[in-house]
Amino acid sequence: MSSEMHSTSASALFPYGDPFQQSFVLLLPDGTPFNMTVKDLESFNLYNVRISINYGSQLGASLILLVIMLLLTKPDKRGSPIFIFNALALAFNFIRTLLQALYFTSGFNVPYAFFAGDFSRVPTTDYANSVAANAFTLMLLLVLEASLVLQVHVVCATMRDVHRKALTVFCAIVALVAVAFRFALVVENSIAIMKAMNFISWKWLASATNITTTISICLFCAIFIGKLALAMWERKKMGLRQYGPMRIIFIMGCQTMFVPAIFAVLQYFTEVPELGTNVLTLVSIFLPLSSMWAATLVNGRKQEARNPHSQRKLFATRSSHSTGPFSERKDSKETITLANSPHLEVGGTHALDLVGSGKYDLEAQHGKD
């Protein structure tokens, strides 16, 4: 009833249409008039607020995780390749999202410049920021692809040399294809930025870049998830059922594969423009999180191993849950291996190294794949 009265009163005041859809006339630099509506300004403002919040969230998450990883990593572990890749990915993603957020305070985003297409008053620094954001997106993808290829190579270390090298070459080719599409997109987008041109004609290239990036991430994650699942099955047959770093990496690998893929696919079926920007951020965050989670578990076991009473209790607990005839010996071996493994310091070498270096003795027990 009240809404009808409100609509009636609004119609009385504005008999020519909805007041929230009013239009007004602006002039182009050459004096040519063009129409705008209140709805256009509302959509413009809403898009700016939503995507700025999204970039701010990505920026904050990357910075916090980078600081935590640097603080918790021992100095002698900061030279490992995986730690370097993880740290670079978080740093590049922080800079990338910062530069992309700065776009919304630049001259490109002034309402008149945006709707009239007049960028004559945009300073050179705003052009530089936009081009630099493109460049850091490419650098971030390079680091992520290198990290994923390395982890696939590590987790497949127990395979025959021919199979491992062939798989590594195949993964490298897939990564290079994704990087090549991103490089082409960065070049064309940077040219369009410097010329203040419309980029709609290259929409197909942006879509192809998103597709190849998502395929590469899902492929790499599927490979080491499959390898880890096989290793976990082998450990189960040996009577080693305890929740350990291998299962943590398996869980995070599934998460790294499916969550970014969901965001990448949803942007084709929804009108939410912020979804596609989260793909690289999610991958750059999930990779170091898996290492830190697994390292926390292993460090806790190290402390238990140093305490004789807790160690006897640990052995007793494991023996009570064992099923195989040699389960006690295997469980003891597992405890010693995990307690003395140098590969799982917090934020250091990825926990996949524990599989690749044969710390679970799968190769010795069952031979190579």
Side-chain angles (χ1 to χ4, degrees), residues 10 31 45 47 52 115 139-140 143 149 162 171 175 200 208 210 246 252 255 257 271 308 338 356 360 367:
N45 182 63
Y47 172 80
S52 296
F115 288 105
M139 294 166 63
L140 173 61
V143 171
V149 171
V162 175
C171 291
I200 193 66
N210 177 67
M246 190 178 293
M252 294 301 295
Q255 184 171 298
M257 179 173 68
E271 298 297 327
L338 292 173
Y360 284 104

mmCIF file of all heavy atoms in Angstrom, residues 10 31 45 47 52 115 139-140 143 149 162 171 175 200 208 210 246 252 255 257 271 308 338 356 360 367:
data_model
loop_
_atom_site.group_PDB
_atom_site.id
_atom_site.type_symbol
_atom_site.label_atom_id
_atom_site.label_comp_id
_atom_site.label_asym_id
_atom_site.label_seq_id
_atom_site.Cartn_x
_atom_site.Cartn_y
_atom_site.Cartn_z
ATOM 1 N N ALA A 10 5.314 9.899 -6.713
ATOM 2 C CA ALA A 10 6.457 10.125 -7.589
ATOM 3 C C ALA A 10 6.004 10.406 -9.007
ATOM 4 O O ALA A 10 6.567 11.258 -9.699
ATOM 5 C CB ALA A 10 7.381 8.901 -7.556
ATOM 6 N N GLY A 31 31.781 19.586 -28.649
ATOM 7 C CA GLY A 31 30.460 20.191 -28.514
ATOM 8 C C GLY A 31 29.310 19.279 -28.855
ATOM 9 O O GLY A 31 28.147 19.680 -28.713
ATOM 10 N N ASN A 45 29.283 3.678 -10.330
ATOM 11 C CA ASN A 45 29.726 3.770 -8.934
ATOM 12 C C ASN A 45 29.722 2.404 -8.256
ATOM 13 O O ASN A 45 30.660 2.057 -7.514
ATOM 14 C CB ASN A 45 28.806 4.729 -8.186
ATOM 15 C CG ASN A 45 29.224 4.912 -6.740
ATOM 16 O OD1 ASN A 45 30.310 5.403 -6.430
ATOM 17 N ND2 ASN A 45 28.352 4.495 -5.822
ATOM 18 N N TYR A 47 30.059 -0.597 -9.622
ATOM 19 C CA TYR A 47 31.166 -1.415 -10.136
ATOM 20 C C TYR A 47 32.479 -1.010 -9.468
ATOM 21 O O TYR A 47 33.275 -1.867 -9.059
ATOM 22 C CB TYR A 47 31.273 -1.246 -11.649
ATOM 23 C CG TYR A 47 32.495 -1.901 -12.240
ATOM 24 C CD1 TYR A 47 32.523 -3.270 -12.492
ATOM 25 C CD2 TYR A 47 33.638 -1.159 -12.540
ATOM 26 C CE1 TYR A 47 33.643 -3.881 -13.024
ATOM 27 C CE2 TYR A 47 34.765 -1.756 -13.078
ATOM 28 C CZ TYR A 47 34.757 -3.119 -13.319
ATOM 29 O OH TYR A 47 35.876 -3.723 -13.844
ATOM 30 N N SER A 52 36.816 -2.595 -6.171
ATOM 31 C CA SER A 52 37.849 -2.052 -5.289
ATOM 32 C C SER A 52 37.918 -2.844 -3.982
ATOM 33 O O SER A 52 39.013 -3.111 -3.465
ATOM 34 C CB SER A 52 37.577 -0.574 -4.994
ATOM 35 O OG SER A 52 37.667 0.206 -6.171
ATOM 36 N N PHE A 115 32.804 8.220 -19.572
ATOM 37 C CA PHE A 115 31.625 8.167 -20.437
ATOM 38 C C PHE A 115 31.849 8.906 -21.758
ATOM 39 O O PHE A 115 31.302 8.498 -22.786
ATOM 40 C CB PHE A 115 30.411 8.760 -19.710
ATOM 41 C CG PHE A 115 29.901 7.878 -18.610
ATOM 42 C CD1 PHE A 115 30.140 8.176 -17.281
ATOM 43 C CD2 PHE A 115 29.169 6.743 -18.911
ATOM 44 C CE1 PHE A 115 29.669 7.352 -16.267
ATOM 45 C CE2 PHE A 115 28.697 5.911 -17.899
ATOM 46 C CZ PHE A 115 28.939 6.218 -16.578
ATOM 47 N N MET A 139 54.224 -11.539 -14.865
ATOM 48 C CA MET A 139 55.282 -12.057 -13.993
ATOM 49 C C MET A 139 54.714 -13.011 -12.949
ATOM 50 O O MET A 139 55.323 -14.039 -12.627
ATOM 51 C CB MET A 139 55.992 -10.881 -13.319
ATOM 52 C CG MET A 139 56.753 -9.990 -14.286
ATOM 53 S SD MET A 139 57.241 -8.390 -13.570
ATOM 54 C CE MET A 139 58.334 -8.920 -12.266
ATOM 55 N N LEU A 140 53.534 -12.699 -12.421
ATOM 56 C CA LEU A 140 52.892 -13.586 -11.449
ATOM 57 C C LEU A 140 52.573 -14.931 -12.076
ATOM 58 O O LEU A 140 52.829 -15.986 -11.474
ATOM 59 C CB LEU A 140 51.617 -12.929 -10.916
ATOM 60 C CG LEU A 140 50.733 -13.791 -10.012
ATOM 61 C CD1 LEU A 140 51.478 -14.217 -8.761
ATOM 62 C CD2 LEU A 140 49.454 -13.034 -9.653
ATOM 63 N N VAL A 143 55.733 -17.091 -12.459
ATOM 64 C CA VAL A 143 56.182 -17.693 -11.199
ATOM 65 C C VAL A 143 55.276 -18.859 -10.803
ATOM 66 O O VAL A 143 55.754 -19.923 -10.385
ATOM 67 C CB VAL A 143 56.214 -16.627 -10.090
ATOM 68 C CG1 VAL A 143 56.458 -17.267 -8.737
ATOM 69 C CG2 VAL A 143 57.305 -15.595 -10.372
ATOM 70 N N VAL A 149 55.033 -26.541 -12.242
ATOM 71 C CA VAL A 149 55.824 -27.509 -13.009
ATOM 72 C C VAL A 149 56.868 -28.172 -12.111
ATOM 73 O O VAL A 149 57.081 -29.395 -12.166
ATOM 74 C CB VAL A 149 56.502 -26.822 -14.211
ATOM 75 C CG1 VAL A 149 57.509 -27.760 -14.880
ATOM 76 C CG2 VAL A 149 55.466 -26.383 -15.239
ATOM 77 N N VAL A 162 62.413 -41.845 -17.943
ATOM 78 C CA VAL A 162 61.798 -41.519 -19.237
ATOM 79 C C VAL A 162 60.401 -40.944 -19.027
ATOM 80 O O VAL A 162 60.033 -39.924 -19.628
ATOM 81 C CB VAL A 162 61.732 -42.775 -20.125
ATOM 82 C CG1 VAL A 162 60.977 -42.461 -21.421
ATOM 83 C CG2 VAL A 162 63.130 -43.284 -20.439
ATOM 84 N N CYS A 171 54.239 -30.851 -19.297
ATOM 85 C CA CYS A 171 53.754 -29.793 -18.405
ATOM 86 C C CYS A 171 54.386 -28.447 -18.750
ATOM 87 O O CYS A 171 53.718 -27.408 -18.688
ATOM 88 C CB CYS A 171 54.053 -30.164 -16.956
ATOM 89 S SG CYS A 171 53.092 -31.553 -16.330
ATOM 90 N N ALA A 175 52.435 -25.047 -19.769
ATOM 91 C CA ALA A 175 52.702 -23.791 -19.061
ATOM 92 C C ALA A 175 53.116 -22.694 -20.032
ATOM 93 O O ALA A 175 52.683 -21.539 -19.914
ATOM 94 C CB ALA A 175 53.785 -24.004 -18.009
ATOM 95 N N ILE A 200 37.630 -3.928 -26.808
ATOM 96 C CA ILE A 200 36.578 -4.927 -26.982
ATOM 97 C C ILE A 200 36.880 -5.882 -28.121
ATOM 98 O O ILE A 200 36.458 -7.042 -28.106
ATOM 99 C CB ILE A 200 35.222 -4.213 -27.208
ATOM 100 C CG1 ILE A 200 34.067 -5.216 -27.059
ATOM 101 C CG2 ILE A 200 35.205 -3.522 -28.560
ATOM 102 C CD1 ILE A 200 33.888 -5.767 -25.689
ATOM 103 N N ALA A 208 40.618 -16.513 -24.194
ATOM 104 C CA ALA A 208 41.557 -17.609 -24.445
ATOM 105 C C ALA A 208 42.643 -17.664 -23.377
ATOM 106 O O ALA A 208 43.067 -18.754 -22.956
ATOM 107 C CB ALA A 208 42.192 -17.453 -25.831
ATOM 108 N N ASN A 210 42.336 -16.692 -20.234
ATOM 109 C CA ASN A 210 41.716 -17.241 -19.027
ATOM 110 C C ASN A 210 41.552 -18.758 -19.128
ATOM 111 O O ASN A 210 41.810 -19.488 -18.159
ATOM 112 C CB ASN A 210 40.349 -16.588 -18.818
ATOM 113 C CG ASN A 210 39.605 -17.149 -17.622
ATOM 114 O OD1 ASN A 210 39.999 -16.975 -16.472
ATOM 115 N ND2 ASN A 210 38.519 -17.861 -17.895
ATOM 116 N N MET A 246 51.240 -35.833 3.725
ATOM 117 C CA MET A 246 50.814 -36.229 2.394
ATOM 118 C C MET A 246 49.327 -35.954 2.194
ATOM 119 O O MET A 246 48.899 -35.471 1.139
ATOM 120 C CB MET A 246 51.125 -37.703 2.156
ATOM 121 C CG MET A 246 50.938 -38.146 0.714
ATOM 122 S SD MET A 246 51.357 -39.868 0.469
ATOM 123 C CE MET A 246 53.110 -39.834 0.773
ATOM 124 N N MET A 252 44.989 -29.742 -0.029
ATOM 125 C CA MET A 252 45.267 -28.421 -0.586
ATOM 126 C C MET A 252 45.402 -28.485 -2.104
ATOM 127 O O MET A 252 45.082 -27.519 -2.804
ATOM 128 C CB MET A 252 46.544 -27.857 0.042
ATOM 129 C CG MET A 252 46.427 -27.552 1.525
ATOM 130 S SD MET A 252 45.126 -26.350 1.903
ATOM 131 C CE MET A 252 45.766 -24.888 1.101
ATOM 132 N N GLN A 255 41.963 -28.375 -3.431
ATOM 133 C CA GLN A 255 41.468 -27.014 -3.278
ATOM 134 C C GLN A 255 42.062 -26.093 -4.322
ATOM 135 O O GLN A 255 41.363 -25.257 -4.909
ATOM 136 C CB GLN A 255 41.809 -26.525 -1.865
ATOM 137 C CG GLN A 255 41.269 -25.151 -1.532
ATOM 138 C CD GLN A 255 41.458 -24.815 -0.069
ATOM 139 O OE1 GLN A 255 40.920 -25.496 0.786
ATOM 140 N NE2 GLN A 255 42.217 -23.783 0.224
ATOM 141 N N MET A 257 43.067 -26.883 -7.229
ATOM 142 C CA MET A 257 42.564 -27.216 -8.550
ATOM 143 C C MET A 257 41.124 -26.736 -8.745
ATOM 144 O O MET A 257 40.799 -26.112 -9.762
ATOM 145 C CB MET A 257 42.644 -28.724 -8.789
ATOM 146 C CG MET A 257 42.096 -29.149 -10.151
ATOM 147 S SD MET A 257 42.356 -30.888 -10.533
ATOM 148 C CE MET A 257 41.267 -31.658 -9.333
ATOM 149 N N GLU A 271 27.030 -12.170 -14.114
ATOM 150 C CA GLU A 271 27.316 -10.779 -14.454
ATOM 151 C C GLU A 271 28.215 -10.124 -13.408
ATOM 152 O O GLU A 271 28.331 -8.904 -13.371
ATOM 153 C CB GLU A 271 26.006 -9.991 -14.571
ATOM 154 C CG GLU A 271 25.078 -10.481 -15.674
ATOM 155 C CD GLU A 271 25.700 -10.337 -17.057
ATOM 156 O OE1 GLU A 271 26.456 -9.380 -17.260
ATOM 157 O OE2 GLU A 271 25.419 -11.191 -17.923
ATOM 158 N N PRO A 308 60.732 -38.341 25.396
ATOM 159 C CA PRO A 308 60.641 -39.808 25.427
ATOM 160 C C PRO A 308 59.282 -40.314 25.838
ATOM 161 O O PRO A 308 58.780 -41.294 25.299
ATOM 162 C CB PRO A 308 61.724 -40.210 26.435
ATOM 163 C CG PRO A 308 62.646 -39.031 26.510
ATOM 164 C CD PRO A 308 61.793 -37.825 26.272
ATOM 165 N N LEU A 338 59.692 -38.838 9.778
ATOM 166 C CA LEU A 338 59.082 -37.526 9.873
ATOM 167 C C LEU A 338 59.802 -36.642 10.871
ATOM 168 O O LEU A 338 59.939 -35.449 10.670
ATOM 169 C CB LEU A 338 57.612 -37.677 10.275
ATOM 170 C CG LEU A 338 56.710 -38.322 9.216
ATOM 171 C CD1 LEU A 338 55.328 -38.582 9.804
ATOM 172 C CD2 LEU A 338 56.595 -37.416 8.005
ATOM 173 N N GLY A 356 58.822 -36.702 -3.147
ATOM 174 C CA GLY A 356 59.755 -36.806 -4.255
ATOM 175 C C GLY A 356 61.111 -37.340 -3.859
ATOM 176 O O GLY A 356 61.783 -38.011 -4.648
ATOM 177 N N TYR A 360 59.118 -41.587 2.096
ATOM 178 C CA TYR A 360 58.145 -42.571 2.536
ATOM 179 C C TYR A 360 58.527 -43.976 2.070
ATOM 180 O O TYR A 360 57.766 -44.909 2.259
ATOM 181 C CB TYR A 360 56.754 -42.208 1.991
ATOM 182 C CG TYR A 360 56.128 -41.077 2.735
ATOM 183 C CD1 TYR A 360 56.078 -39.800 2.187
ATOM 184 C CD2 TYR A 360 55.602 -41.256 4.015
ATOM 185 C CE1 TYR A 360 55.511 -38.759 2.887
ATOM 186 C CE2 TYR A 360 55.035 -40.215 4.707
ATOM 187 C CZ TYR A 360 54.988 -38.978 4.141
ATOM 188 O OH TYR A 360 54.429 -37.936 4.825
ATOM 189 N N GLY A 367 59.220 -50.658 -5.797
ATOM 190 C CA GLY A 367 59.890 -50.412 -7.070
ATOM 191 C C GLY A 367 59.336 -49.168 -7.734
ATOM 192 O O GLY A 367 58.424 -48.528 -7.251
#
